[in-house]
Amino acid sequence: RDRFVKPLADAELQRLQALVLRRRQLVQMITAERQRMRISHAAARPSIERVIEFLKTELGDSDAEVATHIQRHHADLAAALASVPGIGAASVAVLLAELPELGKLDRRRVAALVGVAPLNRDSGQMRGQRSIWGGRADVRRTLYMATLTAVRHNAVLKAHYEHLLAAGKRKKVALVACMRKLLTMLNAIAKNGSTWNPQL
C-alpha cells in the first residue's frame, strides 16, 4: 500500500510548491509578452514593455521569497544539491517542491517517477524502440535545462555525454541518458546527505 498511497504534503511543502508554481507562471507570462512584442504594432509596444518590466519585478520578488523559504526550511539539502555543477537555485527549488521523494527512492524508481527511464514498446515477438514518457513533466523540463548546462561545465557529465556521442548515439538520446545520470547523482546526494564529489 505504501507504494501507491502518497502522504499529503505538509504546510511548509505546500507553501514552497505554491511559490514555485507562481514563479513558473510569471516566467510564462514574460515569455508570452515578449512574443507579443515581436508581432505587435508600434502603438502597443510601450504598454507591453511596461507589463514586462512589472513582471520582471514580480519575478525578482518571487525568487527572493523562494530563496528565503528554502534557506529557512531546506538549507542543508539545498546546499548539497546546489554543489553539483549545472544545478542552480531555480533547479533546486523545483526539485525540493515537486520531487519530495528525492533521496527516499532507489535510482530506478526515481527515474521512472520523473519520466527519464526508457520504457519498452514490445508486443509478442515485436521489439519496439525504447523511449521515455510519462512522469512529472515540470521536473523533467527543469532537469533537461540543468543537463544542458551540466554537459558543458560538469566534467563527469561532459565526459559521459562525449562518450555516448562517440559511440554513435544521437544528441537527444545522449542528453536523456545524461539527465538520468544527473538525477541518479542528485538522488544519491539527497539520500546520503553528502555534497558533490567528482571522484565518486
Side-chain angles (χ1 to χ4, degrees):
R1 188 180 67 175
D2 293 339
R3 289 181 57 194
F4 301 101
V5 178
K6 182 181 177 183
L8 292 174
D10 57 25
E12 291 177 5
L13 182 56
Q14 289 179 13
R15 177 175 172 78
L16 180 58
Q17 289 172 340
L19 291 173
V20 169
L21 175 61
R22 183 56 185 162
R23 183 190 184 281
R24 182 180 301 118
Q25 292 169 346
L26 289 169
V27 170
Q28 291 171 347
M29 286 189 282
I30 291 173
T31 302
E33 288 299 313
R34 284 174 173 165
Q35 290 172 345
R36 289 189 188 99
M37 177 78 78
R38 293 169 52 196
I39 60 173
S40 64
H41 189 274
R45 287 176 184 168
S47 173
I48 296 175
E49 289 172 352
R50 289 193 299 271
V51 172
I52 290 175
E53 288 304 312
F54 169 76
L55 290 173
K56 284 182 178 179
T57 303
E58 286 293 309
L59 181 60
D61 293 343
S62 178
D63 285 336
E65 280 191 84
V66 170
T68 300
H69 182 90
I70 289 176
Q71 189 62 34
R72 185 176 300 161
H73 300 288
H74 309 279
D76 293 339
L77 180 56
L81 296 176
S83 68
V84 181
I87 299 295
S91 301
V92 169
V94 171
L95 289 169
L96 292 175
E98 301 185 3
L99 193 62
E101 297 89 352
L102 192 69
K104 300 173 184 175
L105 302 176
D106 62 63
R107 60 188 177 87
R108 291 183 178 85
R109 290 177 65 187
V110 77
L113 185 63
V114 175
V116 293
L119 303 175
N120 63 47
R121 294 176 180 270
D122 300 340
S123 178
Q125 294 184 349
M126 186 201 77
R127 294 294 176 265
Q129 185 176 4
R130 272 57 176 162
S131 61
I132 62 170
W133 53 272
R136 298 183 184 173
D138 292 327
V139 179
R140 190 167 58 251
R141 276 192 290 267
T142 299
L143 196 62
Y144 177 78
M145 298 306 296
T147 304
L148 287 178
T149 303
V151 295
R152 296 187 183 97
H153 304 290
N154 186 318
V156 175
L157 284 176
K158 183 178 182 180
H160 183 59
Y161 180 67
E162 291 174 350
H163 170 74
L164 292 171
L165 293 181
K169 301 295 184 182
R170 290 175 295 173
K171 288 186 177 181
K172 187 62 70 70
V173 173
L175 274 175
V176 171
C178 290
M179 285 170 63
R180 183 171 183 178
K181 192 173 185 69
L182 177 59
L183 180 61
T184 300
M185 294 172 180
L186 295 169
N187 192 55
I189 286 173
K191 182 178 292 186
N192 300 321
S194 57
T195 56
W196 168 252
N197 184 354
Q199 302 302 320
L200 299 177

